[in-house]
Amino acid sequence: MPPPGVRRAVRARGAALALLPAALLLSGCGAGAVQVPVPTPDTATARLCAGLRLPEKVRGQQRRDTDPESPLTAAWGSPAIALRCGVPRPAGLRPDSQLMTINGVDWFGVPADRPVTFTAVARQAYVEVTVPAKYAPPGDVLIELGSAITATIPEKPEGQI
């Protein structure tokens, strides 16, 4: 958990979502549970996300507990690679956004110049993955998680992101 001064700065800026990767990195550096904000999807999306069969290891890193515990979140390693299923559509996602396609999954990265957070788009549930710099290149993580996404989360009709 970040020190009290950092929490106040986040509240003051009102940019909690923009700072999510930093918060995950700060909370993911110990041996305890990783603090991962739980998304609040609709019932159908939550059902899809609950079906994700995620690996016990990603990039050789063991799966860790998340706090709060939820079937919509997962984490691996330290600093933590974090996954959230059922997140809202990314605010910056546009029809002309630059996407990276890896093994049939389209990923939208933020920030655009050096992505840290990637969201699987064009699926019936958005799946967000935060990849700390330690695990560069991030594509390796996305490859490992992509098979669970393609096996569980159906694609949207062509042309929808």
Side-chain angles (χ1 to χ4, degrees):
M1 181 167 182
V6 172
R7 285 196 309 264
R8 267 186 250 111
V10 169
R11 277 194 298 264
R13 290 187 184 120
L17 290 178
L19 295 175
L20 179 62
L24 290 171
L25 293 177
L26 287 172
S27 65
C29 292
V34 180
Q35 293 181 1
V36 181
V38 178
T40 54
D42 62 37
T43 304
T45 302
R47 193 175 10 259
L48 284 173
C49 291
L52 273 176
R53 298 295 169 245
L54 297 169
E56 282 302 311
K57 288 186 176 184
V58 172
R59 286 291 311 265
Q61 302 298 307
Q62 196 65 38
R63 190 158 174 180
R64 296 179 56 190
D65 291 334
T66 58
D67 181 29
E69 189 175 321
S70 170
L72 304 176
T73 62
W76 298 264
S78 180
I81 296 166
L83 178 143
R84 299 183 333 127
C85 187
V87 297
R89 176 187 169 112
L93 182 62
R94 309 270 184 268
D96 62 345
S97 291
Q98 182 70 35
L99 302 177
M100 177 173 48
T101 302
I102 301 175
N103 293 345
V105 178
D106 292 325
W107 296 94
F108 176 68
V110 177
D113 60 339
R114 51 173 184 75
V116 175
T117 301
F118 298 85
T119 304
V121 299
R123 300 259 158 201
Q124 292 182 20
Y126 293 106
V127 181
E128 178 186 274
V129 179
T130 301
V131 184
K134 172 182 176 179
Y135 305 107
D140 292 347
V141 170
L142 304 179
I143 288 169
E144 290 185 48
L145 295 171
S147 60
I149 293 168
T150 58
T152 310
I153 312 291
E155 291 183 69
K156 287 185 177 182
E158 189 165 335
Q160 293 184 17
I161 54 174

